[in-house]
Amino acid sequence: MKINNLGSVNVNPYRKNLEKQTAAATKSQTKEDKVEISSKAIDLQQSNEVVKARQEKVQAIKAQVESGNYTIDPKAIAKGLVEFYKK
């Protein structure tokens, strides 16, 4: 009886696995992660910072009022009102 190995000439079962690993390695090296933040998200982030700053300012004024150290500057209030209504 004669057995011909026609289909197994130059076949290495580990070669395909090795090729898959090298292909995956090259893909992972060429990929770059990118993060893009929309302008709306940037605006929200900045508004959160403004809100925090306002809260800190309000807390400081509350502390001054409670301790009796808060003084009102009528000239500054008048100037602010004039500038507000000029706009």
Side-chain angles (χ1 to χ4, degrees):
M1 178 175 192
K2 186 175 181 183
I3 299 175
N4 294 327
N5 290 332
L6 297 176
S8 64
V9 177
N10 293 328
V11 174
N12 185 351
Y14 301 105
R15 177 178 276 164
K16 287 185 182 181
N17 191 17
L18 181 63
E19 289 173 358
K20 285 181 186 178
Q21 287 176 351
T22 55
T26 56
K27 283 184 182 179
S28 65
Q29 289 174 353
T30 57
K31 275 189 176 179
E32 291 182 12
D33 292 337
K34 282 188 174 181
V35 176
E36 293 182 12
I37 301 174
S38 68
S39 60
K40 199 171 201 177
I42 292 171
D43 291 341
L44 285 173
Q45 185 179 19
Q46 290 173 349
S47 68
N48 286 340
E49 292 172 2
V50 170
V51 168
K52 288 178 184 177
R54 279 189 184 161
Q55 288 175 346
E56 291 173 2
K57 190 174 183 179
V58 167
Q59 291 299 328
I61 292 172
K62 280 184 181 181
Q64 288 178 355
V65 168
E66 288 175 358
S67 67
N69 296 333
Y70 184 71
T71 57
I72 299 172
D73 185 12
K75 289 182 182 181
I77 293 173
K79 183 179 177 184
L81 285 171
V82 169
E83 287 182 15
F84 176 78
Y85 285 111
K86 279 187 178 178
K87 291 181 183 180

